Amino acid sequence: MSRIAARLAQRRGEGRRALATFITAGDPTLDATVPALQALVRGGADIVELGVPFSDPEAEGPSIQRSSERALANGVALADVLQVATAFRRVDADTPVVLMGYLNPLLRMGYEAFAKRAAAAGVDGVILVNLPPEEADAAQTTLAARGLDLIFLVAPTTRRERAEHIAARASGFIYYVSLKGVTGARHLDVADVERGVAALRAVSDLPVLVGFGIRDAESARAVAARADGVVVGSALADAMGERATCPERIPAALESWLRPVREAIDER
Amino acid sequence: MPARNDPPYAAPDAAGRFGSYGGRFVAETLAHALEALTSLYETLRDDAGFRQALAEDLSSYVGRPTPLYLAQRLTAQVGGAKLYLKREDLNHTGAHKINNTVGQALLAKRMGKPRVIAETGAGQHGVATATVAARLGLECRVFMGATDIERQRLNVYRMELLGAEVVAVESGSRTLKDAMNEAMRDWVTNVDTTHYIIGSVAGPHPYPMMVRDFQAVIGQESRAQCLEAEGRLPDLLVACVGGGSNAMGLFHPFLDDAGVDMVGVEAAGLGLATNRHAAPLNAGSPGVLHGQHTYLMQTDDGQIMETHSVSAGLDYPGVGPEHSHLKDLGRVRYAAATDAEALAAFRTLNRAEGIMPALESSHAVAWAMQEAARRPASDIIIVNLSGRGDKDIDVVAGLGGDSAP
């Protein structure tokens, strides 16, 4: 069983919700990323999503755009992100790592080369924001051959027939986009999320993690009550951006931000 | 009638693929809107009522057909092939862009969407969008890179006069590509109420096909006008290529005419060897940006590069996917003209013909003049004069264009 499936099955078995975190690799420096990931794990993260910075992050709000810009200012490339993943895996054998970003850097490296290097780095899954299922055959086949999950997104605008099609080819978990908007948007509607997740459950048994627009313990608690887990990202990017000139203070800040979120989704 | 290819050129396929290019690489939230738009467009494009409404708008509001003008003094000055100019600069709002916005505005109306958004580089597409929005009473927001706002102030003011909100985009390179990112972000947020009027033959399916179809009126008219004036088809078509909509519009109706050569002219900026240009078909490689698989200016790591061109409308690191396909097929050749060559052509056309071309169109004029000089007087070249240059006067004056001999 993959690390992702194992971790999500474990949480399901315990009756708990999963907590996934997103930070951009290399923000604000490459050296800061592994300590930041470890801090997130201490704070309660079950899955760490590691952002691959991209010059044109068209689905991101300002917080994650800026985190991507900070990483790119350091010249961080996909190869560096894979090195960070390797370094993290050396100190953490269990926490699933999911790379998240846009298609072009992977396309440029080549699916085969990427899949081989990502598997060797201990990466477990990949989320590509601008790779919908219709365009995903080659990527998914190549990644699956190396044991990597290609994780698909479902949105509030996804119609049932299409959700069925996505569910049929999904692995790992399904990432449900909580709202029509970009990451970090501030118009989360819990009732909408509840309807969306329920519709998704009707077509898939896979765990459903909900992301976009979850900014604090309260919204995490509300959304987690209606799904298998939540993803937080923009708030972490802000916390890192505020400490870009003193990265040694990032781990403690992330851990203390995340801990109440963990407690909130565990309490429900 | 001239011989036509059999079987005829046919692209894209149902998935929006032009060979290996195109497609629909977008966030899931937009998938439904793009499917619905595709389905509506495919129904309406063969609908007699829609076609008639579009034809009436093009005639009575846009002012079509535009002339195919024989530039006699320019031809004499160059000393070679006969140069015709397709006068898209004479359209309402001063460029070819309105051919597309009129069509997409009709679609927005049919979809019942009260709001339209657009990205713009030189501001011509933004003006064309704001214009049709004003006419149909639609709310309009235009995204424009902060750098482009600086160099195209006149068009910003025009858009505001038309009632549009112009949003300055400060992210990335602060030019057209960043404006497009920001427009996508707005669309994903307001997809229920908003139609995104993409201004070029770029972006996810169905835009490259749909915008091409709306712009194909340029080539359809040119074909008929050339047959009328000369009794035969032209030997060569020349158009500038940023995203590539004016070029695609001119070229497409001629693709099956094997005797008609076509050249798209990209922006060579400070020179193709400098990396300070916007010429992905000459110096880029295939990748995915803004929903499409196409040639891009990108680094070895797959990051999109910042581009440079004196003309804001060509300052884009990608190109419409059909151009990538036509390049690989060898059907269209892609050349490039530098900032300096375009500025020289801008001055030349003013003095020789009393026509002020947009800096974008000046790239096509520059390359066509060089090519005409290499060809016999019996050859016929049509250059797409895609827009007028009033908007560029400040830029040209700033570069010393006012002191031209």
Side-chain angles (χ1 to χ4, degrees), chain A residues 214-223 257 260-265:
Chain A
I214 297 165
R215 298 198 61 86
D216 51 26
E218 208 39 56
S219 50
R221 183 204 318 266
V223 172
W257 187 88
V261 175
R262 173 86 251 176
E263 286 163 2
I265 70 170

Side-chain angles (χ1 to χ4, degrees), chain A residues 126-207:
Chain A
V126 181
I127 303 173
L128 292 168
V129 178
N130 61 344
L131 185 67
E134 301 81 338
E135 307 283 359
D137 284 346
Q140 191 172 26
T141 306
T142 309
L143 293 170
R146 300 278 177 181
L148 296 164
D149 289 319
L150 180 59
I151 290 151
F152 289 105
L153 298 102
V154 169
T157 51
T158 307
R159 297 306 196 259
R160 183 186 169 106
E161 192 182 332
R162 187 175 166 85
E164 284 172 0
H165 173 67
I166 294 172
R169 62 184 299 166
S171 64
F173 59 89
I174 294 177
Y175 191 129
Y176 183 72
V177 177
S178 68
L179 46 77
K180 294 169 199 151
V182 293
T183 50
R186 292 172 185 267
H187 53 275
L188 183 69
D189 181 326
V190 174
D192 283 350
V193 173
E194 180 162 7
R195 274 191 295 275
V197 173
L200 195 45
R201 291 216 193 282
V203 299
S204 174
D205 294 329
L206 277 177

Side-chain angles (χ1 to χ4, degrees), chain A residues 53-58 60 65 69 72 77 104 107-108 129-130 132 135 153 155 157-159 162 180-182, chain B residues 17 23-25 27-29 31-32 35 177 181 185 188-189 192 285 287-288 290 298-304:
Chain A
F54 184 52
S55 51
D56 293 83
E58 63 202 22
E60 313 301 341
Q65 285 177 47
E69 286 174 6
L72 289 174
N104 202 51
L107 207 55
R108 188 71 177 165
V129 178
N130 61 344
E135 307 283 359
L153 298 102
T157 51
T158 307
R159 297 306 196 259
R162 187 175 166 85
K180 294 169 199 151
V182 293
Chain B
R17 291 282 183 167
R24 191 183 274 162
F25 296 88
E28 175 61 24
T29 308
H32 176 71
E35 281 170 14
K177 85 173 170 74
N181 290 333
R185 292 178 189 125
V188 94
T189 305
D192 293 335
S285 55
V288 166
H290 294 151
Q298 57 179 322
T299 67
D300 291 343
D301 305 321
Q303 305 295 340
I304 308 308

